[in-house]
Amino acid sequence: MRLALDAMGGDDAPRAMVDGAIDYANAFPANTVILVGREADVRTAMTRHGRAPANLVIEHAPDVIGMADSIDALKERPRSSILRCAEMLKQGAVDGMVLCGNTACSVVTAQLQLRRIPGVKRAGLLAPLPKPTGHTWVCDVGANNIGKPEHLVQFAEMTAAFLTAAMGRSNPKVGVLSNGEEDEKGIDLTHETLALLRKTDLNVVGQIEGHHIYTTDIDVVVCDGFVGNIVLKTSEGVENGLRKIIKEEITRGVWTKLGGLLVKPAFERVRRRVDWRFVGGSPLLGIDGVMIKGHGRSDKVAVFHALKQAAGCVEGGLIPSLRARFRQPVNAAATSGE
Amino acid sequence: MRLALDAMGGDDAPRAMVDGAIDYANAFPANTVILVGREADVRTAMTRHGRAPANLVIEHAPDVIGMADSIDALKERPRSSILRCAEMLKQGAVDGMVLCGNTACSVVTAQLQLRRIPGVKRAGLLAPLPKPTGHTWVCDVGANNIGKPEHLVQFAEMTAAFLTAAMGRSNPKVGVLSNGEEDEKGIDLTHETLALLRKTDLNVVGQIEGHHIYTTDIDVVVCDGFVGNIVLKTSEGVENGLRKIIKEEITRGVWTKLGGLLVKPAFERVRRRVDWRFVGGSPLLGIDGVMIKGHGRSDKVAVFHALKQAAGCVEGGLIPSLRARFRQPVNAAATSGE
């Protein structure tokens, strides 16, 4: 299997990308990682490691899209590493790609180059949110601003297919994010989405509330990209705020400081359990190819797991299963005369 | 000052209501609390305390609206404690009210009885979200499902007035909740809200993201009630999930368990800092009277602080300041002939 990695995207690129790619290449010698970016910069980052693994190759792309660039940068710098990754995936030169840079430019490029799987109306970004029993997968967290009921239904179908293909979880429980569980709660979007979902073969729970993401056994939550993005970032904010408050209070006294030293291994396990870096990134579901959008703050651990996640999608046959799911029935009228 | 408290609303009513009211009445002997509800039930809950304080009185209301009842219950049971509270406030028999029961029935009754302050287009529920440096106040968290730009602008104006009147905080920083800070991010609602906000005298920061609620010095965040409700409940969920994970990991080993005992006072301080019960409830801003919507899960501590919050709004002159803020200029055409 061959995976393309945008070596220039992310806050700590190319170093974090190169480091993560080397760790992945060493751990999975049967797979090849193609580092896409400015060859000189990538080589410089690689020299720190001595001899690079044989299953790590460089694909030169002279242009770089920065984290803060607007969509216009795609026109101004047409030979970017983002575009090169997408082209290679489109041409079949790689089986999947991982992009940790500018989200808007990555998502737009992927959609333009790879197009959507026939029958898919909108691509959706999927994110895992950590809870005591594992993760709840939320789609869309920002590929789109608004969503229609038929889009949210497809987000649910695609996420279920992803969980089955890449995570081995069958028949996941699906909820529609709303402001209440009762039928009279919600808005037109949630009601219409639920009505359509109940006509599918999915395991539909109903409308769910924000806290249910973290406190129930629901696997899949669908919402529009504006709301999903706010949920994702609010969650990050609560965790960061709470961690800061805990640290302040533990370091306030001598005994609690001592206790803090003793509980340190427990807190490291907590961090491990809620750490997005160990899960991977956000698959962009619905485009005709495996793409993982990694976090801009990805370090080598995150890059390693994003590559692993991409490989899981390829091995699990995510794209063939999505193609089969959304294949339109042959037009009955057109064939009825035969 | 006289405050009405719905004695029958909340998961643990009337007991929690009576207990909180007695604590408040003892702490603030100059103020009177009127417990509104089924007299026999309220008296039973009071007997556990021996002699009730003189500044605690009962107002009988025979009907009870349950936590899970739909809006229809208001028609079916017209002599409810919720309605009686609102009537007393409307008639001037009390200066403010605290309702911890059914949110939809409480909000609808308050709006129907008290009407909105002239010039206010929509009432909004305001909620404090805890962060390391204090609280960020978010409006609307569920009085409405959808919001128009002019509603969100008024939510910001009302929240700023509340912070000044009840919390003594002047010139608060205001942000519009969105999926990015940059101008090209956001949706029509956030762009139009921001454009209108910038024409006011408020201290407007711009579009903000979910994590900024918890990690910046922004005081006021506005959004529509659907999104705000999801943000509020997602935050609760993250906190509960994280607390559970921390507990699991600390109790996993002997040394971390010992450390857990030592850090217990620190965790109690953490809990105190993020605990909604010590802040009060959610003021329903925009109606012509002081109303605090308490959490359904309110215990006596939460009820005590909700009453204190209501008193703070009355003492700070919240309603007069809102009336002044939204007073329409006298129609120039109608008076120009004089």
Side-chain angles (χ1 to χ4, degrees):
Chain A
M1 186 191 314
R2 294 165 59 86
L3 300 170
L5 172 65
D6 174 9
M8 311 311 285
D11 296 339
D12 198 19
R15 214 183 53 168
M17 303 303 129
V18 167
D19 293 358
I22 287 176
D23 286 350
Y24 181 83
N26 284 325
F28 297 92
N31 297 344
T32 298
V33 179
I34 294 100
L35 281 162
V36 183
R38 278 199 197 129
E39 185 161 0
D41 295 355
V42 177
R43 284 216 183 281
T44 304
M46 282 172 77
T47 51
R48 292 180 304 121
H49 294 271
R51 216 179 130 95
N55 56 335
L56 193 68
V57 297
I58 301 175
E59 169 79 14
H60 180 61
D63 287 345
V64 175
I65 307 282
M67 296 301 282
D69 283 334
S70 76
I71 292 284
D72 299 334
L74 294 172
K75 275 188 210 156
E76 294 156 13
R77 274 158 276 157
R79 298 181 64 198
S80 71
S81 53
I82 292 176
L83 180 62
R84 191 70 200 113
C85 285
E87 282 173 348
M88 290 173 80
L89 184 54
K90 184 186 176 185
Q91 293 155 2
V94 294
D95 304 292
M97 65 177 177
V98 172
L99 311 172
C100 301
N102 189 310
T103 302
C105 291
S106 300
V107 168
V108 166
T109 302
Q111 300 213 50
L112 287 177
Q113 287 296 315
L114 293 153
R115 302 291 169 144
R116 290 192 297 277
I117 287 169
V120 172
K121 296 189 172 87
R122 287 282 185 284
L125 266 175
L126 175 64
L129 299 186
K131 59 184 173 184
T133 53
H135 289 86
T136 300
W137 295 80
V138 179
C139 189
D140 172 29
V141 296
N144 312 275
N145 271 353
I146 52 168
K148 292 183 179 172
E150 56 267 36
H151 305 155
L152 270 63
V153 169
Q154 291 195 335
F155 296 158
E157 293 179 286
M158 295 193 290
T159 304
F162 165 82
L163 288 177
T164 304
M167 314 286 291
R169 198 186 308 170
S170 58
N171 203 31
K173 287 190 182 174
V174 176
V176 179
L177 188 58
S178 187
N179 58 353
E181 293 172 273
E182 306 83 359
D183 287 345
E184 70 267 24
K185 295 289 176 68
I187 56 179
D188 290 348
L189 174 65
T190 61
H191 298 156
E192 289 164 23
T193 299
L194 198 54
L196 290 175
L197 272 175
R198 290 208 161 116
K199 291 179 190 163
T200 69
D201 58 349
L202 295 173
N203 184 3
V204 180
V205 173
Q207 295 192 103
I208 65 135
E209 303 182 45
H211 53 102
H212 295 138
I213 298 172
Y214 293 93
T215 56
T216 66
D217 61 351
I218 285 165
D219 302 293
V220 179
V221 170
V222 291
C223 54
D224 69 47
F226 181 77
V227 168
N229 191 273
I230 289 172
V231 164
L232 179 70
K233 289 173 181 167
T234 296
S235 302
E236 280 181 22
V238 174
E239 196 204 317
N240 288 341
L242 206 53
R243 187 175 287 167
K244 197 172 172 199
I245 292 174
I246 289 172
K247 196 175 174 187
E248 278 177 15
E249 292 303 338
I250 283 181
T251 55
R252 193 178 287 259
V254 175
W255 288 106
T256 53
K257 256 187 204 164
L258 177 64
L261 289 176
L262 290 171
V263 296
K264 211 168 184 180
F267 273 111
E268 271 156 22
R269 290 194 297 266
V270 171
R271 189 179 276 252
R272 178 76 169 73
R273 280 173 68 177
V274 303
D275 197 336
W276 51 270
R277 296 179 308 150
F278 293 93
V279 186
S282 289
L284 180 63
L285 297 176
I287 59 167
D288 201 7
V290 168
M291 163 172 164
I292 304 297
K293 174 65 193 64
H295 206 301
R297 286 189 278 116
S298 288
D299 62 5
K300 67 173 186 170
V301 174
V303 171
F304 176 91
H305 287 279
L307 286 164
K308 215 176 142 189
Q309 192 181 28
C313 292
V314 176
E315 281 159 6
L318 173 64
I319 301 303
S321 89
L322 289 175
R323 283 193 194 126
R325 171 102 202 179
F326 294 101
R327 185 172 296 139
Q328 304 295 315
V330 177
N331 189 319
T335 55
S336 61
E338 298 187 3
Chain B
M1 187 193 312
R2 293 165 61 85
L3 300 171
L5 173 65
D6 175 8
M8 311 311 286
D11 296 338
D12 197 19
R15 214 183 54 168
M17 303 302 129
V18 167
D19 293 358
I22 287 177
D23 287 350
Y24 181 83
N26 283 325
F28 297 91
N31 297 345
T32 298
V33 179
I34 294 100
L35 281 160
V36 183
R38 277 198 198 131
E39 185 161 359
D41 295 355
V42 177
R43 283 216 184 281
T44 305
M46 283 172 76
T47 50
R48 292 178 305 120
H49 293 271
R51 215 180 132 94
N55 55 335
L56 195 68
V57 298
I58 301 175
E59 170 79 15
H60 180 62
D63 289 345
V64 176
I65 308 282
M67 295 301 282
D69 282 334
S70 76
I71 292 282
D72 299 334
L74 294 172
K75 275 187 210 158
E76 294 157 11
R77 274 158 275 156
R79 297 181 64 197
S80 71
S81 52
I82 292 175
L83 179 61
R84 191 68 201 115
C85 284
E87 283 173 346
M88 290 173 79
L89 183 53
K90 184 186 176 186
Q91 294 154 3
V94 295
D95 304 293
M97 65 177 177
V98 172
L99 310 173
C100 302
N102 190 307
T103 301
C105 291
S106 299
V107 167
V108 166
T109 302
Q111 300 213 50
L112 287 176
Q113 287 297 314
L114 292 154
R115 303 291 170 143
R116 290 192 297 276
I117 287 169
V120 172
K121 296 187 172 91
R122 287 281 185 285
L125 267 176
L126 176 64
L129 299 186
K131 61 185 173 184
T133 53
H135 290 86
T136 300
W137 295 80
V138 179
C139 189
D140 171 28
V141 296
N144 313 277
N145 271 355
I146 52 167
K148 291 183 180 172
E150 55 267 35
H151 304 155
L152 269 63
V153 169
Q154 291 195 335
F155 296 158
E157 293 180 286
M158 295 193 292
T159 304
F162 165 82
L163 288 177
T164 304
M167 313 288 289
R169 199 186 307 170
S170 58
N171 203 31
K173 287 190 184 176
V174 176
V176 179
L177 189 59
S178 186
N179 58 354
E181 292 173 273
E182 306 83 0
D183 287 345
E184 70 267 23
K185 294 289 175 69
I187 56 179
D188 289 350
L189 175 65
T190 61
H191 298 157
E192 289 165 23
T193 300
L194 199 54
L196 291 174
L197 272 176
R198 290 208 161 117
K199 291 179 189 162
T200 68
D201 57 349
L202 295 173
N203 184 2
V204 180
V205 174
Q207 294 193 104
I208 64 135
E209 303 181 45
H211 53 101
H212 295 137
I213 297 172
Y214 292 93
T215 55
T216 65
D217 61 350
I218 285 166
D219 303 293
V220 179
V221 170
V222 292
C223 53
D224 68 47
F226 181 78
V227 168
N229 192 272
I230 289 172
V231 164
L232 179 70
K233 288 172 181 167
T234 296
S235 301
E236 279 180 23
V238 175
E239 197 205 317
N240 288 340
L242 206 52
R243 187 176 288 167
K244 198 172 172 195
I245 292 174
I246 289 172
K247 198 177 173 182
E248 279 177 16
E249 293 302 338
I250 283 181
T251 54
R252 194 177 285 259
V254 175
W255 288 106
T256 54
K257 256 188 204 164
L258 177 64
L261 289 176
L262 290 172
V263 297
K264 209 167 184 180
F267 273 111
E268 271 156 22
R269 290 193 297 265
V270 171
R271 188 181 275 252
R272 178 75 169 72
R273 279 174 68 177
V274 303
D275 196 336
W276 52 269
R277 296 179 308 149
F278 293 93
V279 186
S282 289
L284 180 63
L285 297 177
I287 61 167
D288 201 6
V290 168
M291 164 173 163
I292 304 297
K293 174 64 192 66
H295 207 301
R297 287 189 279 115
S298 289
D299 62 4
K300 68 172 186 172
V301 174
V303 171
F304 176 92
H305 287 278
L307 286 164
K308 216 176 140 189
Q309 191 181 29
C313 292
V314 176
E315 282 159 5
L318 172 64
I319 301 301
S321 88
L322 289 175
R323 284 192 194 128
R325 171 103 202 177
F326 293 101
R327 186 172 295 140
Q328 305 293 319
V330 176
N331 188 318
T335 55
S336 60
E338 298 188 1

